Amino acid sequence: MMVDMLKSLEQDLRRYRLVHSGERVGVAVSGGADSVALLRGLVALAPELGIVPVVLHLNHQLRGKESDADESFVAALAEQLSLEAAIGSVHVTAHEGRSLEAAGRRARYAFFLHAAADHRLDSVATAHTREDQAETVLLRLLRGSGTSGLAGILRVCDLSALAQSPLPPAARAGAAPPRLIRPLLCISRRKIASYLRLLRQPFRLDASNREPRFLRNRVRAELLPALERDYNPQLRQALCETAEVAAGENEFLEDLVSQILASQRAEAGKVAGAPEAGVEVALFQPQPAAVQRRILRRLCQPHTLALDFDQLERRRELALAGAAGSLQLPRGFAAEMVRRPPLPPRLRLLAS
C-alpha cells in the first residue's frame, strides 16, 4: 500500500502537470529531511511517471565541516540510488545590500540554471513544503504585501527569471527554458517525517534552521504555533489556501497586463518612428486601480526596481494627472511624463 506522502506527491505531480513522461528532472537536495524525502519519492515514482531524476547539490561553504559533510552525504545518496549527480561549491557572502539568505538563494538558482543546461534538464524540483508556504505568506503579511506577495511560493516558475541571468551557452537550442517546480507545496512535514521513518532513511540536520536571529525561524518556532494555539488551529491550511487563491488571481492580472501592453506595442508600430518605453496615458487612465498598479510594477521589472506602496501611488497619481512633470524614485530612477508627437502622451521610467 502506498504511504500518504508518496500518494500525495503523485497526485500533485499529475494534478498540476509538474512533470511529463520522458523528462529529466533535477532534484535539489540539501541533505535535509524535506529534500531527501522529495528525492526518494521521485525515484520511487520515476518508472510510473517516465522521468529521470538527477541529483543537484550546491555547497554554500557557510558552515565549514558541516557543509562539507552535507555534500558528502548527498553524493553518497546519489551513488546509492545509482543517480546522475551535479555537485557544486561556492563561497556565499552577503554583498551589494543583499542579505546572506538572498545571496545564497541567488547562487542556488544560478547553479540550477547551469546544471539544467549541462545535464539537459527540463525542470528542477525543490522541496518547499506546506509549512514553508504558510510561513512565507505570514512573513509577507507582516512586512506588507499585495496580491502577488500573498501568492507565496509559486508552484511553477521560469528558472532563468529567478536566476536573473540568461540561459547558459550549453542550453539546448530550441528547447523550452527549464522550469522550477515545487511538488511538495501541499504536503506537510508530518507526512514527510513518516515517509522517511518508513524507509529508515537518514538525513542531515542544519542547526541554522533553529537560530532565532533569523526571522523565519522565529515565525516557525514561536509566532505560528502561538497563532494556531490562541486563534486558529487550522492557520497553516488557511494561509496555504490564501496563497492558492492569490496565485490564481495574480496569474490572471499578469496576463491581462501583458495583453494591454501588447496592444499598445501593436498600435505604436503603426506610427512612424520607434516607439518609446513606457505606457500611454490614454491607455493607462481607464484601467482599474489594481491593473494600473500592475502596469507600473511591470515597467519596473526590467530594472529590478522595487517600489513601496507610497512610491507606487505617487507614480500612479502622476499618470492620472496627465500633466507634464517628473517624480524621483529610488536608485537614481525617475518617472516622467513625455509628450512627443506623433506618439501619444506617456509615462516612462528614466535612469539617471
Side-chain angles (χ1 to χ4, degrees), residues 284 292 296 310 312-323:
F284 179 87
Q292 291 174 351
L296 296 180
D310 181 62
L312 194 70
E313 287 303 282
R314 286 190 288 122
R315 191 177 172 200
R316 192 167 71 88
E317 289 165 5
L318 177 64
L320 291 175

Side-chain angles (χ1 to χ4, degrees), residues 3 27 50 74 78 92 141 148 159 163 185 194 201 220 235-236 239 250 253 287 289 309 328 334 338 345:
V3 297
V27 188
V74 173
V92 173
L141 277 170
S148 57
L159 181 54
L185 211 52
S194 297
Q201 170 64 58
R220 177 182 302 146
L235 179 61
R236 289 170 211 253
L239 290 170
N250 183 61
L253 287 170
Q287 304 299 332
F309 181 78
Q328 292 302 307
V338 180

Side-chain angles (χ1 to χ4, degrees), residues 122-179:
D122 298 283
S123 62
V124 172
T126 62
H128 293 89
T129 66
R130 186 186 71 161
E131 281 76 11
D132 291 318
Q133 181 72 295
E135 292 160 12
T136 297
V137 174
L138 185 53
L139 277 166
R140 291 181 180 177
L141 277 170
L142 292 174
R143 291 167 175 159
S145 178
T147 310
S148 57
L150 294 182
I153 304 170
L154 299 182
R155 187 171 281 105
V156 183
C157 49
D158 182 345
L159 181 54
S160 60
L162 288 174
Q164 297 179 5
S165 61
L167 293 173
R172 289 170 289 167
R179 296 164 290 124

